[in-house]
Amino acid sequence: MLLPQINNPEQLKSLSIEELATLAEEIRRFLVEKLSVTGGHLASNLGVVELTLALHYCYDSPRDKMIFDVGHQAYVHKILTGRQDRFDSLRKNGGLCGFVKRTESEHDVWEAGHSSTSLSAAMGMAMARDMKGEDNKVIAVIGDGALTGGMAFEALNHIGHEKRKLMVILNDNEMSIAPNVGAMHNYLSKIRSDRHYLRAKDEVEGLLKKIPAIGGKLAKTAERVKDSLKYMMVPGVLFEELGFTYLGPVDGHDLEKVIDAFHQADNVAGPVLVHVLTTKGKGYKPAEADSYKWHGISPYKIESGQVLQAVGNPMYTDVFGQTLIELGHQDKRLVAVTPAMPGGSGLFPFAKEFPDRMIDVGIAEQHAATLCAALAMEGMKPVYAVYSTFMQRAYDQIVHDICRHNANVIFAIDRAGFVGADGETHQGVYDIAFMRHIPNIVLMMPKDENELRHMMKTALDYNDGPIAYRYPRINGTGVALDSELKSLPIGTWERTRPGDDYAVLACGPMVQVAEEAADQLKREGIQLGVVNARFLKPLDGQMLLELANAGTGMVVLEEASQAGSLGSAVLEYYSEHEIYDARVHLMGVPDVFIEHGSIKEQRQQTGLTAEALCARIKAMRAKSNFNYKTTSFS
């Protein structure tokens, strides 16, 4: 066995190509075995085994900067850089991160959980290298899906203009951007990266221009002939026109060919793009057969590929998807729009039922938002189905194109709140804060899956501007689902538990946490009221006034950023109405990034539990003899 002997990438350089191929198979077996227990991103990592081995074989990490777009395909990189003994802790609290993480290893030079950032990062590192007078290599690995992101094209344009020396590896595992034209193509790739050829080309052009009278014309003619041949024979002409030298396509599972392509790329003075063709799920039949399902997978049985899913209530995402079909039958104007997440957003059933009303724009959250605005202006009912963390990328379009126009766009915000194993890059705890301050928008969050259905109906019936409902990445509570959907009165809350002395203003899953705390406190003789603060904007002003006038001690409980979310909105309301003696305590996500682990662990870490809430109420009760002159912040 070779793999147990590899503790750092330098050890790869003494291996033969045959030994590297053997190591590749050992790594695949390692990944299939380990992820069958922990879950994680399997298909994408099986596809880049040889590519990652070739990178570490040819280059010197961390001196040479290897940047993985998104980072979910960097498990092989982690294995080769001294972390294989920690894979049992992958995506667990305190364990290995499922993405590249700078604090984990000096070899992790760039971290991201969102796509299309690698090329901009590579350009920045290349510019810094040149400014410092250093000579290290800069390499960005980006997938064909991530290349659809607008930020990637912005970076390509800048890189091609600046002509800095760096390498972009296009890991093409879904489609081939250009066909392989055979031996002539391979010959052109080699000849165009050869130093002698490049120098000779410049010299010939210089000599032609020196010929009196006709030299300039001959040089221009030669350039046109060269361009014509390039358009006919070079598959990567788009990248060539952007200023890159294009090499490929290369079989990404042939180590010798990948290594040879890297050596060719090193001979190019400016930016070079190496187009590598790989197969997602390579070496594990279930993952090869359905790479979408096996992109991010739960624990499974290795032999059969059967996913070991816990039996439970339907997830909010599933309830959303089924309800959207019901609403689609009610209103033919309803259109679903998603930025490359039709499966994760629960839209496959809708797409099957209404194929002409399902729009997947690729990894292009900004485009999706503005597209929805235009659809709404033309009388359609667009539902922008997006994860909370990815909606961040469309902030300007939400402000400028949707809310400023008061466009009747419906936001279906999935993964709101903690997301568990995906960790800090994916936490959906910021959207309330960055959306509620924008004029014209309505924000809702349901206490259970049945209320989600009614909020979806509310949004469909609403015609006065943008409206959003946000829901978590968890199973529902198991409540019965009403067959008849009804609109909720905008800006109304509901009391789910009576109690005048103390009340919890909770939204989403925190309503259940508050009710659990109410049950515990009741056994101790303390009556805790629970309010389902289902509208985050507008607030229920009448209920807030009633609570303040009754002298009720309040706790705002939310699985969202404490800065700027519901708690802040409540305090702002009391300030606006010059109510300065309301007793309001805040319990939300503190001003730190919350790392990966289970949602339960993340709630415990941030004090968003029934036990923590009980302790807060008891502390408030102990201080009840004090005269509160100002609002209490904590």
Side-chain angles (χ1 to χ4, degrees):
M1 290 284 286
L2 290 170
L3 183 56
Q5 303 172 37
I6 303 299
N7 298 309
N8 64 75
E10 279 299 311
Q11 295 173 295
L12 298 178
K13 301 183 190 307
S14 62
L15 301 181
S16 66
I17 298 297
E18 291 74 20
E19 288 173 319
L20 286 175
T22 299
L23 180 59
E25 294 309 308
E26 292 182 18
I27 289 173
R28 284 197 169 90
R29 288 195 295 271
F30 178 91
L31 286 171
V32 170
E33 177 185 337
K34 294 296 183 181
L35 269 63
S36 71
V37 178
T38 64
H41 292 94
L42 181 63
S44 53
N45 283 284
L46 291 176
V48 298
V49 175
E50 289 86 1
L51 174 58
T52 311
L53 279 169
L55 277 171
H56 281 291
Y57 180 79
C58 292
Y59 302 104
D60 299 316
S61 176
R63 180 179 181 274
D64 293 329
K65 311 301 180 184
M66 299 179 191
I67 303 167
F68 295 88
D69 202 282
V70 185
H72 64 263
Q73 81 286 43
Y75 291 5
V76 183
H77 166 77
K78 288 176 182 264
I79 291 170
L80 298 175
T81 53
R83 286 170 275 181
Q84 61 177 289
D85 61 341
R86 297 183 60 198
F87 258 76
D88 291 333
S89 70
L90 182 69
R91 292 161 54 89
K92 295 180 180 178
N93 185 33
L96 279 183
C97 180
F99 301 90
V100 175
K101 189 147 182 76
R102 284 168 59 87
T103 56
E104 263 186 23
S105 170
E106 63 177 348
H107 298 280
D108 291 6
V109 299
W110 178 258
E111 60 183 65
H114 294 183
S115 79
S116 313
T117 69
S118 62
L119 303 188
S120 298
M123 184 56 170
M125 291 185 184
M127 294 182 79
R129 172 201 62 200
D130 295 345
M131 291 173 185
K132 293 186 292 183
E134 298 173 350
D135 62 354
N136 59 285
K137 305 290 176 51
V138 178
I139 305 130
V141 181
I142 185 169
D144 54 295
L147 201 64
T148 66
M151 185 177 176
F153 282 97
E154 294 174 19
L156 283 173
N157 183 56
H158 187 211
I159 293 168
H161 173 74
E162 287 280 340
K163 303 294 185 184
R164 306 272 178 173
K165 182 172 178 59
L166 61 84
M167 179 166 64
V168 174
I169 298 172
L170 174 56
N171 175 31
D172 185 354
N173 53 30
E174 290 290 345
M175 54 171 282
S176 178
I177 289 177
N180 190 332
V181 296
M184 177 59 73
H185 152 75
N186 292 331
Y187 172 74
L188 285 174
S189 293
K190 289 182 179 180
I191 209 171
R192 284 164 47 244
S193 65
D194 185 87
R195 288 195 185 98
H196 300 293
Y197 165 75
L198 294 172
R199 186 172 65 250
K201 181 176 75 70
D202 291 337
E203 290 175 352
V204 168
E205 289 178 359
L207 287 171
L208 286 173
K209 290 177 181 178
K210 291 178 181 178
I211 300 175
I214 64 170
K217 293 181 180 179
L218 284 174
K220 290 180 180 178
T221 300
E223 186 67 24
R224 283 198 296 270
V225 171
K226 182 196 73 172
D227 286 345
S228 298
L229 288 171
K230 181 169 69 175
Y231 274 94
M232 286 189 296
M233 306 182 74
V234 178
V237 68
L238 169 64
F239 301 109
E240 293 275 348
E241 291 302 310
L242 284 170
F244 286 77
T245 297
Y246 173 91
L247 303 176
V250 178
D251 181 354
H253 302 298
D254 187 321
L255 276 161
E256 199 162 0
K257 289 181 179 178
V258 176
I259 291 169
D260 185 48
F262 290 168
H263 289 326
Q264 293 174 40
D266 288 339
N267 290 331
V268 178
V272 58
L273 185 138
V274 180
H275 183 182
V276 178
L277 302 180
T278 61
T279 300
K280 269 189 174 181
K282 177 75 173 178
Y284 184 55
K285 288 184 178 179
E288 284 193 44
D290 190 350
S291 61
Y292 188 92
K293 170 185 173 183
W294 288 83
H295 171 75
I297 197 71
S298 301
Y300 54 91
K301 293 182 179 179
I302 296 175
E303 296 77 11
S304 64
Q306 178 186 350
V307 179
L308 305 176
Q309 294 179 327
V311 177
N313 301 318
M315 295 192 72
Y316 277 85
T317 302
D318 299 325
V319 174
F320 161 76
Q322 292 301 320
T323 306
L324 197 65
I325 293 175
E326 294 179 39
L327 297 176
H329 284 293
Q330 292 180 20
D331 194 329
K332 294 182 179 180
R333 299 174 299 163
L334 190 147
V335 178
V337 178
T338 185
M341 299 301 295
S345 294
L347 290 174
F348 279 154
F350 183 88
K352 185 177 181 180
E353 189 80 9
F354 305 108
D356 296 335
R357 290 153 64 185
M358 170 69 198
I359 304 170
D360 183 354
V361 301
I363 301 176
E365 294 87 356
Q366 295 169 295
H367 167 60
T370 300
L371 174 71
C372 284
L375 285 167
M377 290 175 190
E378 292 300 310
M380 304 301 289
K381 281 279 187 176
V383 177
Y384 185 11
V386 61
Y387 292 6
S388 170
T389 184
F390 297 142
M391 191 174 65
Q392 296 166 186
R393 296 155 68 93
Y395 176 75
D396 181 61
Q397 287 67 35
I398 295 170
V399 174
H400 185 272
D401 299 335
I402 295 178
C403 293
R404 189 177 60 84
H405 286 119
N406 203 30
N408 190 202
V409 174
I410 299 168
F411 292 88
I413 307 172
D414 201 342
R415 271 67 167 173
F418 290 133
V419 295
D422 280 340
E424 58 188 307
T425 59
H426 284 61
Q427 303 289 17
V429 299
Y430 307 111
D431 58 271
I432 300 175
F434 72 71
M435 290 186 75
R436 75 170 185 85
H437 66 261
I438 308 173
N440 296 332
I441 197 165
V442 172
L443 298 177
M444 305 177 282
M445 188 171 195
K447 69 178 186 295
D448 56 39
E449 61 270 38
N450 187 51
E451 192 168 55
L452 170 62
R453 286 169 50 80
H454 293 301
M455 285 185 176
M456 293 177 67
K457 173 65 171 173
T458 304
L460 183 63
D461 290 346
Y462 186 74
N463 297 307
D464 295 333
I467 185 168
Y469 44 83
R470 58 193 305 273
Y471 46 96
R473 185 190 190 182
I474 59 174
N475 296 96
T477 61
V479 298
L481 302 181
D482 297 334
S483 58
E484 182 181 354
L485 298 177
K486 298 179 180 179
S487 287
L488 304 173
I490 300 295
T492 59
W493 294 350
E494 65 170 356
R495 295 177 186 260
T496 65
R497 294 287 181 94
D500 294 328
D501 291 336
Y502 303 97
V504 180
L505 314 183
C507 60
M510 293 295 101
V511 174
Q512 282 75 47
V513 172
E515 291 184 339
E516 183 181 340
D519 289 337
Q520 293 181 22
L521 291 171
K522 186 176 181 180
R523 292 192 289 269
E524 300 180 36
I526 302 172
Q527 297 296 320
L528 177 64
V530 177
V531 174
N532 171 24
R534 57 193 179 185
F535 280 90
L536 306 161
K537 182 182 181 182
L539 305 179
D540 189 333
Q542 181 178 344
M543 188 174 293
L544 284 172
L545 290 175
E546 290 174 358
L547 290 167
N549 290 335
T552 304
M554 289 169 272
V555 175
V556 180
L557 182 68
E558 55 184 331
E559 194 174 283
S561 168
Q562 184 168 298
S565 298
L566 176 61
S568 296
V570 170
L571 294 174
E572 290 164 12
Y573 180 88
Y574 285 134
S575 175
E576 181 182 350
H577 289 78
E578 299 183 352
I579 299 172
Y580 303 123
D581 57 352
R583 293 183 291 157
V584 181
H585 291 251
L586 306 186
M587 293 182 67
V589 178
D591 193 24
V592 294
F593 289 108
I594 307 303
E595 296 190 348
H596 52 281
S598 68
I599 291 177
K600 181 180 179 181
E601 289 168 332
Q602 288 165 347
R603 288 179 180 172
Q604 289 172 340
Q605 180 183 345
T606 53
L608 298 179
T609 63
E611 292 72 23
L613 177 56
C614 288
R616 178 62 62 87
I617 295 297
K618 289 177 182 179
M620 291 173 65
R621 193 171 184 233
K623 295 179 180 179
S624 61
N625 292 330
F626 287 88
N627 181 21
Y628 283 80
K629 296 294 185 182
T630 59
T631 303
S632 174
F633 298 83
S634 59

